Amino acid sequence: MSPSPLRRALILGVLGLAAAMPGLVQSAYLMHLLVMSTLWAILALSMELVLGVTGLLSAAHGALFGIGGYTAALLVVRAGFNTWPALLLAVIAGALGGLFIGLPTLRARGPYFVISSLCFGLVVQIVIDKWDALTFGPLGITSIPPLSPILIPGVGRIPFDSLAAQYWTALAMLAVVVIAVGRVVDSRVGRAFQAIRVNEALAEALGVPTRRLSLLAFVLSG
């Protein structure tokens, strides 16, 4: 169902305001907060797919976020990767992390699932904190360069070293995630996710492969 004219106007207005923020905000600190807020919005949408749509109370989402973030940072800083392939590999690493964590934890239900997912999240945190030789431990990874510039024929070299460019890039990624999550929720698979949230036992009795689809939601979220 297409949105109403009022809703469409509101969406366009919000998008226009969001895109114009670098011209309205003069403080570098506030621009940094806008960039981080956009990234946190992407994280919140991915968690909504598991918690809000499928109804899985997972406590391992921070671990998946960490796996993706450290994958991208380590590939760029330690292996000398271009940032764009590193981001793509980070997406794959997050999905594989969701698969690895979801396979054993989704065998449990209720509070047992929450506790087991929390344990996996703590394990990932401990590995990141203690494996100093790889992750730099509690000090974190510094000197991460900005996104690599893109060379477009006929346009030239597009750099991403300014806060405004980083914000617009994060905003574009957020828009892609919003569209992707919306398409998933409105699809047949998305309706099955919602059936699992409403009544998992009934959905399974009606032939919905609840465990397999729960794992798929975990992987997509990761």
Side-chain angles (χ1 to χ4, degrees), residues 14 29 39 50 58 75 107 110 125 140 147 149 153 158 175 193 201-202:
V14 170
Y29 175 68
L39 297 180
V50 169
S58 169
L75 286 175
R107 295 179 181 273
Q125 180 183 348
L147 292 170
I158 300 179
F193 288 163
L202 178 59

Side-chain angles (χ1 to χ4, degrees), residues 103-195:
L103 277 173
T105 58
L106 287 171
R107 295 179 181 273
R109 287 294 181 266
Y112 302 103
F113 167 71
V114 178
I115 293 172
S116 57
S117 64
L118 175 62
C119 291
F120 270 95
L122 292 175
V123 167
V124 172
Q125 180 183 348
I126 291 171
V127 169
I128 291 174
D129 283 343
K130 301 301 181 183
W131 199 354
D132 295 2
L134 178 67
T135 65
F136 298 97
L139 296 177
I141 303 175
T142 58
S143 303
I144 301 175
L147 292 170
S148 303
I150 296 176
L151 182 60
I152 300 179
V155 177
R157 181 175 175 272
I158 300 179
F160 295 91
D161 49 358
S162 68
L163 280 173
Q166 293 170 22
Y167 169 74
W168 281 321
T169 305
L171 188 65
M173 291 181 178
L174 175 60
V176 170
V177 172
V178 168
I179 294 172
V181 171
R183 290 294 180 88
V184 170
V185 172
D186 291 337
S187 68
R188 183 176 179 181
V189 172
R191 290 191 291 272
F193 288 163
Q194 296 172 64

Side-chain angles (χ1 to χ4, degrees), residues 25-38:
V25 176
Q26 303 300 320
S27 169
Y29 175 68
L30 290 179
M31 277 303 305
H32 169 74
L33 290 183
L34 285 173
V35 173
M36 295 307 299
S37 298
T38 308

Side-chain angles (χ1 to χ4, degrees), residues 18-113:
M21 288 306 291
L24 302 175
V25 176
Q26 303 300 320
S27 169
Y29 175 68
L30 290 179
M31 277 303 305
H32 169 74
L33 290 183
L34 285 173
V35 173
M36 295 307 299
S37 298
T38 308
L39 297 180
W40 289 126
I42 295 174
L43 175 64
L45 277 171
S46 66
M47 191 168 185
E48 168 68 12
L49 190 59
V50 169
L51 180 60
V53 178
T54 316
L56 299 173
L57 185 56
S58 169
H61 213 70
L64 301 180
F65 187 53
I67 289 171
Y70 269 88
T71 297
L74 289 172
L75 286 175
V76 172
V77 173
R78 286 196 176 273
F81 270 57
N82 183 287
T83 52
W84 297 104
L87 284 177
L88 178 60
L89 291 173
V91 171
I92 297 173
L96 291 177
L99 179 65
F100 177 77
I101 295 175
L103 277 173
T105 58
L106 287 171
R107 295 179 181 273
R109 287 294 181 266
Y112 302 103
F113 167 71

